[in-house]
Amino acid sequence: MKQTYFRSLCGIIVGVLLVLYREDTLQYILSIAIVLGAIQQFCTLAVANNKDSVGIGYWIVPAILLICGMVAVMKPDIIKDDKWIFIGICWLLYGVAELINSIKVSSCERTFARQQEEQIAASLASQQQQDTPQSAESSSADEPTPETES
């Protein structure tokens, strides 16, 4: 959990630095990192979706990031002079989305754990109900009957 918050904070910091810093040598590396980050967010949301439902709104930002990262890698001429601002905004968006997704994932994990505990409690309760009548019958059958002395 702390690692996810750390990644979110790093994404925000990298985004701010890229908006302020303009150098062409890192453009492709950072664009590819945006694409990989979007894929990682899709994977994280898919795992969370297995545990609890994740709304469609959570899937929109990784899709936008994936598209923007692909544009920055394959067609950098489209963004021309504003490419660092574009990549910086993508990183800001990534950091904020990662933070929001981490909160949602932890919520899904808590819900899943609570459901598991309820299922275990219910199965234990039903098992105890099934065991109780049998144990009462077996205990009365095992007791010796008092015999009259002659």
Side-chain angles (χ1 to χ4, degrees), residues 93-120:
L93 185 61
Y94 170 79
V96 171
E98 188 71 27
L99 183 63
I100 292 169
N101 290 346
S102 67
I103 292 169
K104 178 61 177 173
V105 167
S106 69
S107 170
C108 289
E109 288 175 350
R110 281 190 304 249
T111 302
F112 182 73
R114 193 175 320 120
Q115 289 172 348
Q116 292 294 334
E117 288 173 2
E118 290 172 0
Q119 287 177 352
I120 291 170

Side-chain angles (χ1 to χ4, degrees), residues 21-66:
Y21 181 70
R22 300 171 193 256
E23 180 62 46
D24 291 340
T25 57
L26 297 175
Q27 173 188 354
Y28 290 106
I29 294 171
L30 294 173
S31 299
I32 291 170
I34 290 170
V35 171
L36 293 175
I39 293 169
Q40 180 267 332
Q41 284 184 351
F42 278 126
C43 294
T44 301
L45 290 173
V47 169
N49 198 32
N50 289 337
K51 295 180 180 182
D52 193 19
S53 77
V54 176
I56 194 154
Y58 290 97
W59 298 89
I60 293 172
V61 174
I64 292 170
L65 286 172
L66 184 64

Side-chain angles (χ1 to χ4, degrees), residues 6-22 26 30 33-34 65 82-96:
F6 179 73
R7 280 194 318 235
S8 303
L9 183 62
C10 287
I12 292 170
I13 291 170
V14 167
V16 169
L17 290 175
L18 289 176
V19 168
L20 299 175
Y21 181 70
R22 300 171 193 256
L26 297 175
L30 294 173
I34 290 170
L65 286 172
D82 298 330
K83 59 187 162 196
W84 285 111
I85 293 172
F86 181 80
I87 293 172
I89 289 171
C90 287
W91 274 97
L92 284 170
L93 185 61
Y94 170 79
V96 171

